[in-house]
Amino acid sequence: MEEKGDGSSGLTNNCDLPEDSGSLKSPDEESSENSAAQYNGDLKSVLVTSVLNLEELDVDLYRGTHHWVPRSQRLFGGQIVGQALVAAAKSVSDNLYAHSLHCYFVRAGDPKVPVLYQVDRTRDGRSFTVRSVKAIQHGQPILICQASFHKLQPSPLQHQFTMPVVPPPEDLLTVEELIHIYLSKPDLAEKSKQGLNKLLANEVPIEIKPVHPPHFYRLAAADPKKLFWVRARGYIGEGNIKLHCCVAAYVSDFAFLGTALLPYPNYRAQFSASLDHAMWFHNTFRSDEWMLYECESPWAGGSRGLVQGRLWRRDGVLAASCSQEGVLRVKPVTEPSKL
């Protein structure tokens, strides 16, 4: 969240590790069977059972009480976006699917109190339906979200970019596995060790496998591009496209804004926060299956950074696109990383 006294503000936006430390296509059946084999059917994803679960208080009024709180001790922006989309989706018919959302983070989120979600049924059209959602704490909005839903409509116009060629997730290590490797280094600085142990203790409801770990951890100057495999922990299942879109909205904010910092390993974020967040959903997908998140930052300046992202299914189909701008205030790094 932006500091007091500044005109713009936002929730905490990502979980980057510190320097110290259209036509819709169904996912193929083999992929779905693999997910079912990996997860016991009883091991439901915490993203479904608590993190994105809302209590209905009245017509178009919901309350979210289960907050995943990152190390910043501010509400995670991705959760508020995901819950806002859940609230919006509850007000539309089953034959309508989310195709886009646009959000502004306007105040700091307080992890100690529930969030109220007030849905306004802005428009019900024959093909497209629009909902406006306010996420409210202490009587004031902390996020304003516009979500649009539509009926599936076939079209001869179909094209997409090509998915990057990267190693499969089975050949890569998770963030937790990488941290354990870094912790085993005998010359690891004590400060770095403490930071990494805190990261391990902070249970994250998604799994991440960086394609290029040095880029992910900002160990050297690199182009402002980042690639990592990501999926929700636990089993969600097939059939509920809306739910998978809500989980993807949550996932999309992880390690996103930090992409703008990759060319600057000699600086660390003194303060960062999301200002706005947008998503477009292109094809069906399973958020509990591995998807490749391709992130890039085309611009940074004026203490702000712009990032764009693409979520790819394993079969090369573009599932969703994302965009976000955030505040990035930095300070020089006094010591080189000892990872």
Side-chain angles (χ1 to χ4, degrees):
M1 179 63 203
E2 185 62 286
E3 299 135 325
K4 288 185 178 180
D6 201 312
S8 58
S9 55
L11 297 170
T12 184
N13 50 33
N14 61 54
C15 294
D16 268 339
L17 298 179
E19 295 81 356
D20 294 337
S21 37
S23 67
L24 298 187
K25 304 176 183 178
S26 299
D28 58 47
E29 296 179 358
E30 179 181 353
S31 179
S32 297
E33 291 173 359
N34 289 342
S35 285
Q38 284 178 319
Y39 296 124
N40 185 313
D42 294 331
L43 185 61
K44 291 292 185 180
S45 170
V46 69
L47 285 167
V48 176
T49 59
S50 63
V51 173
L52 294 179
N53 190 35
L54 298 180
E55 174 189 2
E56 185 173 2
L57 301 178
D58 204 338
V59 177
D60 295 336
L61 183 64
Y62 303 89
R63 177 167 58 194
T65 57
H66 299 279
H67 299 142
W68 179 82
V69 182
R71 294 189 316 140
S72 65
Q73 297 304 302
R74 303 194 302 268
L75 282 182
F76 173 50
Q79 179 173 7
I80 307 306
V81 173
Q83 289 186 338
L85 186 57
V86 169
K90 287 178 178 292
S91 70
V92 301
S93 60
D94 291 340
N95 66 333
L96 294 173
Y97 302 95
H99 74 86
S100 69
L101 62 86
H102 299 264
C103 302
Y104 280 96
F105 301 98
V106 294
R107 285 183 179 86
D110 183 354
K112 299 182 179 64
V113 300
V115 180
L116 295 179
Y117 294 90
Q118 184 178 5
V119 180
D120 177 62
R121 304 191 179 210
T122 307
R123 180 180 186 269
D124 288 306
R126 287 183 296 180
S127 300
F128 291 87
T129 293
V130 178
R131 295 292 183 259
S132 301
V133 183
K134 283 185 180 180
I136 301 169
Q137 283 187 324
H138 303 296
Q140 294 182 312
I142 62 172
L143 173 135
I144 298 171
C145 175
Q146 300 278 342
S148 182
F149 301 80
H150 77 136
K151 294 180 180 178
L152 303 187
Q153 297 175 332
S155 170
L157 305 179
Q158 297 185 54
H159 71 268
Q160 65 168 50
F161 283 179
T162 301
M163 177 178 172
V165 178
V166 299
E170 291 77 16
D171 293 348
L172 300 171
L173 299 176
T174 65
V175 165
E176 291 80 10
E177 290 168 334
L178 288 167
I179 289 176
H180 281 296
I181 291 176
Y182 292 135
L183 285 172
S184 67
K185 293 185 176 183
D187 58 343
L188 183 66
E190 184 61 29
K191 183 179 179 182
S192 297
K193 187 179 299 184
Q194 292 175 1
L196 290 172
N197 279 317
K198 288 180 180 178
L199 286 172
L200 285 177
N202 193 18
E203 296 183 2
V204 179
I206 67 172
E207 292 182 273
I208 294 174
K209 290 190 174 185
V211 174
H212 304 293
H215 293 181
F216 196 86
Y217 291 93
R218 297 183 57 221
L219 300 184
D223 290 336
K225 297 182 179 181
K226 186 185 296 185
L227 292 162
F228 54 95
W229 292 97
V230 62
R231 68 177 177 184
R233 294 188 190 275
Y235 180 77
I236 296 176
E238 310 181 70
N240 193 330
I241 299 175
K242 292 178 185 175
L243 179 57
H244 286 289
C245 287
C246 295
V247 173
Y250 178 94
V251 168
S252 67
D253 200 23
F254 272 84
F256 199 25
L257 190 55
T259 307
L261 294 171
L262 292 178
Y264 314 101
N266 295 326
Y267 289 89
R268 62 176 298 176
Q270 185 175 22
F271 176 84
S272 65
S274 306
L275 292 172
D276 55 10
H277 191 90
M279 288 191 74
W280 297 264
F281 302 100
H282 311 305
N283 289 281
T284 59
F285 56 90
R286 289 275 300 274
S287 54
D288 56 356
E289 294 179 343
W290 288 114
M291 290 191 292
L292 182 68
Y293 201 6
E294 179 188 11
C295 306
E296 58 186 0
S297 174
W299 174 88
S303 293
R304 306 193 319 276
L306 176 67
V307 288
Q308 298 169 341
R310 288 181 282 272
L311 273 169
W312 299 91
R313 287 186 350 207
R314 288 195 65 163
D315 59 2
V317 170
L318 183 61
S321 299
C322 316
S323 184
Q324 182 179 104
E325 188 180 50
V327 176
L328 284 173
R329 297 199 179 111
V330 299
K331 65 179 181 180
V333 176
T334 56
E335 296 179 2
S337 174
K338 298 295 181 63
L339 292 182

